[in-house]
Amino acid sequence: DSLPLYQSVAQPIAHEAGGYLPQAFGAPQLLEGTLPSPGQFFVERFDSPDALQRFLAAMNESGAIALRDEVAEVHFMVALPAYRGHTE
């Protein structure tokens, strides 16, 4: 399984950009509706939309996206703003 190799490459890039991954990983428990695709889901957190963009640019520049694509089939990626009412 090459996922640990990908994570060992992606985690430092995310940390440098202001991200924390993974926050959650696994097959979701579907409560309602239909999933867009079956399989595993990753939830990643970034300090800001700019941090996410820095991460994606660095992943592309480093070749890590190609590595990711070797170990995972990415069907979609979404970004959501943080819920400001939540405190840690």
Side-chain angles (χ1 to χ4, degrees):
D1 188 32
S2 300
L3 185 57
L5 172 61
Y6 166 70
Q7 288 176 322
S8 72
V9 171
Q11 284 178 332
I13 295 171
H15 183 72
E16 180 70 25
Y20 313 88
L21 49 118
Q23 293 292 297
F25 169 72
Q29 177 186 3
L30 182 63
L31 301 175
E32 291 185 30
T34 305
L35 291 173
S37 62
Q40 305 291 312
F41 285 70
F42 288 85
V43 175
E44 303 168 354
R45 187 183 106 203
F46 291 86
D47 291 337
S48 67
D50 288 339
L52 172 59
Q53 292 304 319
R54 285 193 305 273
F55 169 71
L56 292 173
M59 290 285 287
N60 198 29
E61 291 168 12
S62 70
I65 287 180
L67 175 61
R68 180 204 67 199
D69 290 346
E70 289 178 22
V71 302
E73 193 172 323
V74 178
H75 293 277
F76 63 93
M77 184 182 298
V78 298
L80 299 170
Y83 174 60
R84 298 295 176 199
H86 177 71
T87 58
E88 293 185 28

